[in-house]
């Protein structure tokens, strides 16, 4: 009975046509965006208050641990935080006023720089001469037009003297005296909206910090009591991520803005404290913030210095500090990331800035973190985590399968190299490549993968193995060593059971056996079981490996094993049911009908078993190891009382 509502809901959702469902989704998103835009005067103060409460909550909890009451702890934390903000705001206003007074003094330097630009640029002399010629030509044309106009007027009034132009009448502009109400309206009026928003934010922050637990309980009640665990985990995850992001980002930005301010003061940039604060604040904008922060001191360096060296020093200062902070400080400070991709950060910053202006830019990352958390904990919103998150959305075997389908073996080889840096190549083959081939076989059985595509996948596997191989000289040396041990045909032969995917799996096994002293041949296609072209390979082989991705049927494998036994009666046999269930080995060995055969389910086991039966001089040791493997498997599958 508990599942009945969910089943009814799923049945109702399935009855909605897909086109209508997509239209409803687009309309819902449009309504939400419109609501956020038109209600921004109400939502923005609340959003800022929530953001600041996340930042101040750890300080409040720390004071509570010191046995301070909730009200004193919240009051002290909010008072210190907003006094610090007012202090920084006062510094910014003072520095801006000082900069406004100094700007007219830089006019001569700017004019000198503008005149020197044509000489500094390559071919600047030519540009200057062409500009002068165009200017002189325009002056001459204007003079000619003026003379033509005067002569035409003289011809139209013959015998009259030229009329003197009227003298301009002097005009004096007098400003009226300002009345007190007008002063209040012009000066205080523009400050009313920011002050009102600041007051609302302070009130909301205090209330949120005082009623934090009660607000959380109410939100949980709205989300539903039956899903209490998931909602609690999602809220804790979002709060932890946002609080961690804000506190650590603030620390990193302070460590970046402080040396920038000191460095600018040392090299002689005016108002260095202002630019240091701007650098710390604008670094909340990912990737682009430091570029925007650097543009102001760069422009000021051009205006202050008659030469160009001050500009070079500013560039070196910002580049050096940003390199140290981005490559050394941030990886050390950030124990865990926000979970957002780089593209999502830029897209979120662009969207929220368009929606709410500069405040939206400040809130973009925390809001996007909340969306990613919702996508991770709410199945219906999983697309948000896929679009905005930085976790891989495809499993490694799915990624490799896509690379092979796209006929991109270089990317597949790069994936194998990256994987083998942390683990081994045989693990990549067993855990990524073989499951990718299994996916391909499933699609082939369903009819969605054509034989042509199977051939592309096989060739892609071989091209990937070629990229993973050592250089040609090492390959030639290994082939010479193998040829000195065995002068005839390869001692180890691998043959595909049914199709190209079996052959691709066999190629993986042969690649792992390249370093063995016994000579290893190429993986043979399934046609080798019936063609006389490959008869010599079977006759001289000491061990034959049967590769099977296309089937897990032991009965089908038995018929293939009989063909191999007829063509190579003296060869030992290894059957690879890749990615099969190891618990079915005993029944598989019994069905195949060859007790001396080795049956494995992974490439690692196949390599280990083949090594165990190779003698030190490179020959095939006729031992009981294969029979022991089959016997051990059979005994393991028998009941304990048998």
């Amino acid at each position: 009975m508990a599942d009945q509502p969910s089943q009814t809901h799923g049945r109702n959702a399935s009855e909605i046509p897909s086109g209508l469902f997509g239209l409803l989704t687009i309309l819902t998103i449009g309504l939400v965006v419109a609501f956020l835009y038109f209600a921004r005067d109400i939502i923005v103060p609340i959003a800022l208050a929530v953001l600041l409460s996340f930042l101040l909550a750890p300080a409040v909890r720390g004071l509570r641990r010191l046995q301070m009451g909730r009200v004193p702890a919240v009051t002290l934390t909010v008072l210190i935080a907003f006094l610090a903000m007012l202090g920084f705001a006062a510094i910014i206003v003072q520095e801006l006023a000082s900069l406004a007074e100094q700007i007219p003094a830089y006019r001569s330097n700017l004019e000198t720089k503008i005149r020197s630009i044509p000489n500094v640029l390559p071919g600047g002399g030519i540009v200057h001469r062409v500009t002068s010629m165009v200017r002189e030509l325009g002056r001459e044309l204007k003079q000619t037009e003026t003379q033509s106009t005067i002569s035409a007027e003289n011809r139209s009034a013959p015998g009259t003297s030229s009329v003197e132009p009227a003298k301009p009448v002097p005009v004096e502009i007098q400003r009226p005296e300002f009345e007190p109400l007008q002063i209040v309206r012009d000066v205080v009026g523009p400050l009313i909206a920011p002050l009102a928003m600041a007051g609302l934010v302070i009130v909301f922050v205090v209330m949120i910090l005082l009623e934090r637990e009660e607000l959380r309980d109410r939100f949980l009640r709205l989300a539903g009591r039956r899903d209490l665990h998931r909602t609690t985990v999602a809220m804790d995850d979002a709060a932890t991520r946002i609080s961690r992001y804000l506190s650590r980002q603030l620390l990193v930005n302070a460590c970046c803005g402080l040396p920038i301010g000191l460095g600018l003061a040392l090299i002689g940039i005016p108002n260095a404290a202002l630019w240091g604060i701007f650098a710390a604040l604008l670094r909340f904008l990912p990737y682009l913030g430091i570029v925007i922060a650097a543009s102001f001191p760069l422009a000021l360096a051009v205006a202050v210095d008659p030469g160009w060296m001050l500009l070079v020093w500013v560039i070196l200062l910002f580049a050096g500090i940003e390199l140290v902070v981005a490559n050394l400080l941030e990886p050390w400070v950030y124990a865990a990331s926000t979970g957002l991709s780089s593209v999502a950060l830029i897209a979120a910053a662009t969207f929220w800035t368009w929606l709410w202006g500069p405040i939206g830019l400040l809130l973009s990352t925390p809001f996007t973190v909340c969306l990613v958390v919702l996508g991770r904990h709410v199945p219906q919103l999983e697309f948000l985590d896929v679009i905005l998150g930085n976790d891989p959305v495809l499993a490694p075997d799915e990624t490799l399968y896509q690379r092979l389908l796209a006929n991109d073996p270089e990317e597949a080889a790069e994936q194998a190299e990256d994987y083998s840096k942390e683990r081994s190549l045989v693990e990549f083959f067993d855990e990524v490549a073989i499951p990718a081939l299994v996916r391909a076989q499933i699609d082939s059985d369903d009819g969605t993968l054509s034989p042509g595509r199977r051939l592309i996948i096989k060739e892609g596997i071989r091209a990937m193995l070629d990229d993973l191989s050592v250089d040609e000289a090492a390959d030639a040396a290994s082939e010479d060593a193998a040829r000195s041990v065995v002068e005839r045909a390869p001692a180890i032969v691998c043959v595909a059971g049914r199709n190209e995917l079996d052959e691709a799996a066999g190629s993986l096994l042969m690649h792992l056996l390249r370093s063995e002293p016994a000579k290893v041949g190429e993986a043979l296609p399934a046609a080798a079981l019936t063609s006389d072209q490959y008869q010599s390979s079977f006759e001289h082989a000491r061990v034959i490996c049967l590769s099977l991705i296309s089937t897990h049927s032991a009965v089908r494998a038995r018929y293939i094993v009989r063909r191999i036994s007829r063509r190579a009666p003296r060869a030992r046999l290894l059957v690879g049911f890749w990615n099969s269930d190891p618990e079915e080995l005993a029944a598989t060995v019994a069905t195949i009908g060859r007790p001396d055969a080795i049956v494995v389910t992974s490439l690692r086991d196949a390599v280990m078993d083949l090594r165990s039966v190779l003698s030190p001089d490179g020959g095939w040791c006729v031992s009981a190891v294969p029979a022991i493997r089959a016997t051990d498997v059979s005994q393991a599958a028998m009941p304990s009382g048998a």
Side-chain angles (χ1 to χ4, degrees):
M1 295 296 292
D3 296 337
Q4 185 175 357
S6 61
Q7 293 175 358
T8 304
H9 176 74
R11 185 166 55 251
N12 294 336
S14 63
E15 293 175 357
I16 301 177
S18 58
L20 181 59
F21 183 78
L23 180 60
L24 291 176
T25 303
I26 295 175
L27 289 176
T28 303
I29 295 174
L31 289 175
V32 171
V33 173
F35 173 76
L36 292 175
Y37 179 78
F38 290 106
R40 59 186 180 275
D41 294 336
I42 301 174
I43 299 177
V44 167
I46 299 176
L48 284 174
V50 172
L51 183 67
L52 289 175
S53 66
F54 278 125
L55 182 61
L56 300 179
V60 174
R61 288 195 296 267
L63 293 177
R64 292 295 307 276
R65 295 191 187 100
L66 298 177
Q67 306 302 320
M68 184 179 290
R70 177 181 294 276
V71 175
V74 171
T75 304
L76 181 61
T77 302
V78 173
L79 182 62
I80 294 175
F82 281 95
L83 285 178
M85 293 180 185
L86 288 176
F88 281 113
I91 295 174
I92 292 175
V93 171
Q94 181 181 359
E95 293 291 331
L96 287 175
S98 174
L99 179 63
E101 295 177 356
Q102 297 173 3
I103 284 178
Y106 306 141
R107 180 176 178 179
S108 60
N109 289 335
L110 288 174
E111 292 177 351
T112 304
K113 289 282 181 62
I114 293 173
R115 293 193 191 99
S116 65
I117 287 177
N119 298 325
V120 174
L121 295 176
I126 298 176
V127 174
H128 180 69
R129 287 195 295 271
V130 171
T131 305
S132 301
M133 183 182 67
V134 172
R135 189 183 299 114
E136 292 177 1
L137 181 60
R139 191 182 302 116
E140 291 178 359
L141 291 174
K142 185 176 181 180
Q143 184 178 1
T144 303
E145 183 180 355
T146 304
Q147 292 176 355
S148 302
T149 304
I150 293 175
S151 61
E153 291 178 354
N154 292 334
R155 286 195 302 269
S156 63
T160 60
S161 59
S162 58
V163 181
E164 295 182 358
K167 295 182 179 180
V169 178
V171 178
E172 183 179 356
I173 300 175
Q174 295 182 353
R175 295 184 178 180
E177 295 182 359
F178 288 101
E179 298 180 356
L181 292 178
Q182 187 177 359
I183 295 175
V184 172
R185 184 186 61 187
D186 295 339
V187 177
V188 181
L191 298 177
I192 292 178
L195 291 177
M197 178 176 289
L200 286 175
V201 170
I202 294 174
V203 172
F204 277 126
V205 168
V206 173
M207 297 305 298
I208 291 173
L209 292 175
L210 287 175
E211 306 291 338
R212 182 171 176 269
E213 287 76 10
E214 184 177 352
L215 290 175
R216 182 188 60 191
D217 294 342
R218 293 181 182 277
F219 186 83
L220 291 173
R221 178 64 181 86
L222 290 176
R225 295 177 179 176
R226 291 180 298 178
D227 211 7
L228 193 62
H229 172 71
R230 180 184 298 175
T231 308
T232 302
V233 171
M235 290 182 62
D236 291 342
D237 190 8
T240 302
R241 287 176 181 270
I242 294 175
S243 179
R244 181 175 58 219
Y245 163 75
L246 292 175
S247 58
R248 295 180 181 180
Q249 185 69 37
L250 184 62
L251 175 62
V252 170
N253 291 0
C255 294
C256 180
L258 182 61
I260 285 178
L262 294 176
L264 292 176
L266 290 176
I267 64 179
I269 295 294
N271 309 102
L274 175 64
W275 312 127
I277 295 174
F278 273 13
L281 294 178
L282 289 174
R283 268 194 109 259
F284 279 101
L285 173 61
Y287 305 108
L288 298 179
I290 192 64
V291 178
I292 299 174
S295 61
F296 299 104
L298 289 175
L300 199 56
V302 174
V304 171
D305 187 18
W308 297 95
M309 282 306 300
L310 189 59
L311 178 64
V312 175
W313 282 114
V314 173
I315 294 175
L316 292 177
L317 175 67
F318 272 89
I321 292 177
E322 180 62 20
L323 285 175
V324 172
V325 171
N327 295 293
L328 297 179
L329 184 61
E330 284 184 343
W332 177 66
V333 172
Y334 290 144
S337 65
T338 57
L340 302 179
S341 67
S342 302
V343 178
L345 287 174
I346 300 298
T350 304
F351 172 77
W352 290 108
T353 304
W354 166 79
L355 194 65
W356 287 347
I359 296 178
L361 181 63
L362 179 65
L363 298 174
S364 61
T365 300
F367 276 6
T368 312
V369 169
C370 293
L371 293 177
V372 171
V373 171
L374 284 175
R376 291 182 177 177
H377 296 280
V378 180
Q380 293 81 1
L381 300 178
E382 186 180 3
F383 68 94
L384 293 174
D385 186 24
V386 174
I387 296 174
L388 303 175
N390 63 346
D391 292 338
V393 295
L394 293 179
D397 58 298
E398 293 174 333
T399 302
L400 180 62
Y401 183 30
Q402 187 274 331
R403 301 289 189 271
L404 296 174
L405 283 175
N407 198 14
D408 194 356
E410 292 79 11
E411 290 288 340
E414 183 178 354
Q415 182 183 0
E417 291 174 355
D418 294 339
Y419 196 95
S420 59
K421 289 178 182 177
E422 300 179 358
R423 308 176 73 173
S424 64
L425 188 61
V426 65
E427 288 177 314
F428 173 77
F429 287 170
D430 270 330
E431 299 174 8
V432 179
I434 290 296
L437 294 176
V438 171
R439 288 182 177 275
Q441 184 58 50
I442 293 174
D443 290 344
S444 178
D445 294 338
D446 293 340
T448 57
L449 188 70
S450 64
R453 285 290 182 179
R454 291 202 305 262
L455 181 61
I456 291 176
I457 292 176
K458 184 200 75 171
E459 296 299 332
I461 289 288
R462 292 204 172 182
M464 179 191 74
L465 296 178
D466 291 339
D467 292 336
L468 292 174
S469 299
V470 293
D471 55 273
E472 295 180 0
D475 283 339
S478 63
E479 289 180 3
D480 292 341
R483 194 176 296 109
S484 64
V485 175
V486 182
E487 295 294 338
R488 293 182 297 177
I492 302 176
V493 173
C494 185
V495 60
R498 294 178 61 193
N499 58 27
E500 297 84 358
L501 302 178
D502 297 330
E503 186 179 350
S507 300
L508 298 175
L509 177 60
M510 294 295 99
H511 183 84
L512 294 174
L513 296 173
R514 294 296 183 192
S515 60
E516 300 301 322
K519 187 177 180 182
V520 178
E522 297 291 335
L524 302 181
L529 295 172
T530 56
S531 175
D532 295 335
Q533 179 182 355
Y534 303 94
Q535 183 61 34
S536 60
S537 299
F538 286 101
E539 289 178 351
H540 299 95
R542 299 189 178 185
V543 59
I544 296 177
C545 304
L546 175 60
S547 175
L548 289 173
I549 283 282
S550 58
T551 181
H552 290 167
S553 171
V555 176
R556 186 182 297 273
R558 180 177 62 188
Y559 292 109
I560 301 176
V561 167
R562 288 178 179 177
R563 291 183 182 177
I564 296 175
S565 300
R566 288 194 296 267
R567 306 200 69 174
R570 294 178 296 178
R572 296 298 178 95
L573 183 63
L574 182 143
V575 182
F577 282 98
W578 313 124
N579 207 34
S580 181
D581 188 1
E583 297 180 357
E584 299 177 357
L585 286 180
T588 302
V589 172
T591 304
I592 288 178
R594 283 199 49 172
D596 61 337
I598 303 176
V599 179
V600 295
T601 59
S602 68
L603 296 174
R604 176 187 292 275
D605 291 341
V607 172
M608 293 178 60
D609 286 331
L610 290 174
R611 285 176 179 173
S612 66
V613 295
L614 288 174
S615 63
D617 60 351
W620 182 265
C621 178
V622 183
S623 64
V625 174
I628 291 174
R629 164 57 66 90
T631 305
D632 291 344
V633 172
S634 301
Q635 291 177 354
M638 293 177 62
S640 58

